[in-house]
Amino acid sequence: MAELTGIPGKIELKFRSGKGVEEFEQKYALTNAEAAAFLRGLAQEIEAGGEVSVKYGSINISINPEPPIKVEVECEKDELEIEIKLKAKKDKSAPEEAEE
């Protein structure tokens, strides 16, 4: 499990009636050592295959990612942004939900 130990910042949640949390976004401020430890934990989860879990305190979010893992790199002036996207494998036994 990749564990975040930094200071939590801005949080955004979107709920859907009867389904609970539909979207979750939390920003964190990490020291260099905390960021390196988190990235090592995340790398181990991805390399092991199967479920990837991220934890902060009592919050635990897991996903079973479908390859390929997408990485987006963006540089503007004095900021480098690296975004890693893990998309969940589709459960072939579950019926498809209609889009609203």
Side-chain angles (χ1 to χ4, degrees):
M1 179 174 304
E3 188 164 359
L4 285 161
T5 57
I7 299 169
K10 182 180 176 184
I11 187 169
E12 293 180 27
L13 297 169
K14 286 188 181 177
F15 294 91
R16 180 184 268 184
S17 180
K19 294 201 177 211
V21 176
E22 186 174 274
E23 291 182 27
F24 169 86
E25 182 178 324
Q26 174 83 58
K27 297 186 186 275
Y28 294 89
L30 307 172
T31 65
N32 289 355
E34 288 169 333
F38 171 72
L39 291 171
R40 276 192 295 275
L42 184 60
Q44 290 172 346
E45 291 273 309
I46 293 169
E47 190 171 43
E51 189 172 271
V52 173
S53 297
V54 175
K55 180 180 187 220
Y56 180 82
S58 64
I59 298 171
N60 184 7
I61 298 174
S62 298
I63 190 170
N64 191 358
E66 176 84 43
I69 293 172
K70 295 183 180 180
V71 176
E72 183 178 316
V73 179
E74 184 178 325
C75 185
E76 288 183 21
K77 296 183 183 179
D78 62 348
E79 182 175 276
L80 175 64
E81 182 176 330
I82 301 170
E83 187 173 306
I84 302 168
K85 294 183 181 184
L86 307 175
K87 187 173 181 178
K89 286 184 181 177
K90 290 185 180 177
D91 182 1
K92 298 185 191 236
S93 65
E96 297 265 338
E97 287 188 32
E99 289 290 319
E100 293 180 13

